[in-house]
mmCIF file of all heavy atoms in Angstrom:
data_model
loop_
_atom_site.group_PDB
_atom_site.id
_atom_site.type_symbol
_atom_site.label_atom_id
_atom_site.label_comp_id
_atom_site.label_asym_id
_atom_site.label_seq_id
_atom_site.Cartn_x
_atom_site.Cartn_y
_atom_site.Cartn_z
ATOM 1 N N GLN N 382 91.540 126.069 74.176
ATOM 2 C CA GLN N 382 91.573 125.418 75.459
ATOM 3 C C GLN N 382 90.681 124.104 75.498
ATOM 4 O O GLN N 382 91.128 123.090 75.994
ATOM 5 C CB GLN N 382 91.140 126.312 76.522
ATOM 6 C CG GLN N 382 92.074 127.594 76.749
ATOM 7 C CD GLN N 382 91.383 128.728 77.515
ATOM 8 O OE1 GLN N 382 90.222 128.496 78.000
ATOM 9 N NE2 GLN N 382 92.059 129.806 77.710
ATOM 10 N N ASN N 383 89.538 124.285 74.940
ATOM 11 C CA ASN N 383 88.565 123.150 74.843
ATOM 12 C C ASN N 383 89.156 122.002 73.988
ATOM 13 O O ASN N 383 88.946 120.806 74.205
ATOM 14 C CB ASN N 383 87.260 123.590 74.337
ATOM 15 C CG ASN N 383 86.304 123.951 75.445
ATOM 16 O OD1 ASN N 383 85.863 123.231 76.262
ATOM 17 N ND2 ASN N 383 85.956 125.248 75.446
ATOM 18 N N ALA N 384 89.807 122.372 72.830
ATOM 19 C CA ALA N 384 90.423 121.378 71.962
ATOM 20 C C ALA N 384 91.452 120.561 72.668
ATOM 21 O O ALA N 384 91.515 119.352 72.531
ATOM 22 C CB ALA N 384 90.937 122.068 70.773
ATOM 23 N N TRP N 385 92.313 121.173 73.420
ATOM 24 C CA TRP N 385 93.330 120.454 74.134
ATOM 25 C C TRP N 385 92.724 119.495 75.147
ATOM 26 O O TRP N 385 93.190 118.386 75.245
ATOM 27 C CB TRP N 385 94.293 121.417 74.852
ATOM 28 C CG TRP N 385 95.177 122.195 73.982
ATOM 29 C CD1 TRP N 385 95.423 123.557 73.951
ATOM 30 C CD2 TRP N 385 96.129 121.673 73.015
ATOM 31 N NE1 TRP N 385 96.347 123.911 73.016
ATOM 32 C CE2 TRP N 385 96.771 122.780 72.440
ATOM 33 C CE3 TRP N 385 96.420 120.370 72.511
ATOM 34 C CZ2 TRP N 385 97.781 122.574 71.406
ATOM 35 C CZ3 TRP N 385 97.409 120.249 71.590
ATOM 36 C CH2 TRP N 385 98.023 121.325 71.045
ATOM 37 N N VAL N 386 91.694 119.911 75.826
ATOM 38 C CA VAL N 386 91.042 119.077 76.869
ATOM 39 C C VAL N 386 90.409 117.865 76.076
ATOM 40 O O VAL N 386 90.490 116.692 76.617
ATOM 41 C CB VAL N 386 90.022 119.794 77.740
ATOM 42 C CG1 VAL N 386 89.383 118.833 78.692
ATOM 43 C CG2 VAL N 386 90.682 120.950 78.453
ATOM 44 N N ALA N 387 89.791 118.115 75.005
ATOM 45 C CA ALA N 387 89.127 117.070 74.234
ATOM 46 C C ALA N 387 90.143 116.046 73.682
ATOM 47 O O ALA N 387 89.930 114.812 73.797
ATOM 48 C CB ALA N 387 88.343 117.622 73.073
ATOM 49 N N LEU N 388 91.345 116.527 73.203
ATOM 50 C CA LEU N 388 92.351 115.589 72.709
ATOM 51 C C LEU N 388 92.936 114.804 73.842
ATOM 52 O O LEU N 388 93.130 113.559 73.740
ATOM 53 C CB LEU N 388 93.412 116.422 71.967
ATOM 54 C CG LEU N 388 94.549 115.545 71.324
ATOM 55 C CD1 LEU N 388 94.015 114.516 70.395
ATOM 56 C CD2 LEU N 388 95.523 116.476 70.697
ATOM 57 N N ALA N 389 93.196 115.421 75.006
ATOM 58 C CA ALA N 389 93.759 114.672 76.164
ATOM 59 C C ALA N 389 92.741 113.641 76.671
ATOM 60 O O ALA N 389 93.152 112.590 76.993
ATOM 61 C CB ALA N 389 94.107 115.691 77.198
ATOM 62 N N SER N 390 91.418 114.014 76.743
ATOM 63 C CA SER N 390 90.496 113.153 77.166
ATOM 64 C C SER N 390 90.311 111.920 76.229
ATOM 65 O O SER N 390 90.135 110.746 76.691
ATOM 66 C CB SER N 390 89.157 113.815 77.331
ATOM 67 O OG SER N 390 89.179 114.926 78.250
ATOM 68 N N ALA N 391 90.458 112.124 74.905
ATOM 69 C CA ALA N 391 90.397 111.037 73.961
ATOM 70 C C ALA N 391 91.554 110.081 74.181
ATOM 71 O O ALA N 391 91.368 108.821 74.113
ATOM 72 C CB ALA N 391 90.386 111.554 72.567
ATOM 73 N N ILE N 392 92.726 110.627 74.503
ATOM 74 C CA ILE N 392 93.923 109.737 74.744
ATOM 75 C C ILE N 392 93.720 108.940 76.054
ATOM 76 O O ILE N 392 94.021 107.779 76.042
ATOM 77 C CB ILE N 392 95.201 110.637 74.871
ATOM 78 C CG1 ILE N 392 95.461 111.280 73.527
ATOM 79 C CG2 ILE N 392 96.375 109.788 75.317
ATOM 80 C CD1 ILE N 392 96.541 112.315 73.628
ATOM 81 N N ILE N 393 93.086 109.541 77.028
ATOM 82 C CA ILE N 393 92.864 108.812 78.311
ATOM 83 C C ILE N 393 91.859 107.745 78.062
ATOM 84 O O ILE N 393 92.059 106.568 78.523
ATOM 85 C CB ILE N 393 92.297 109.765 79.350
ATOM 86 C CG1 ILE N 393 93.431 110.773 79.832
ATOM 87 C CG2 ILE N 393 91.763 109.060 80.572
ATOM 88 C CD1 ILE N 393 92.999 111.910 80.749
#
Side-chain angles (χ1 to χ4, degrees):
Q382 298 164 0
N383 270 295
W385 288 126
V386 179
L388 182 57
S390 298
I392 294 172
I393 290 173

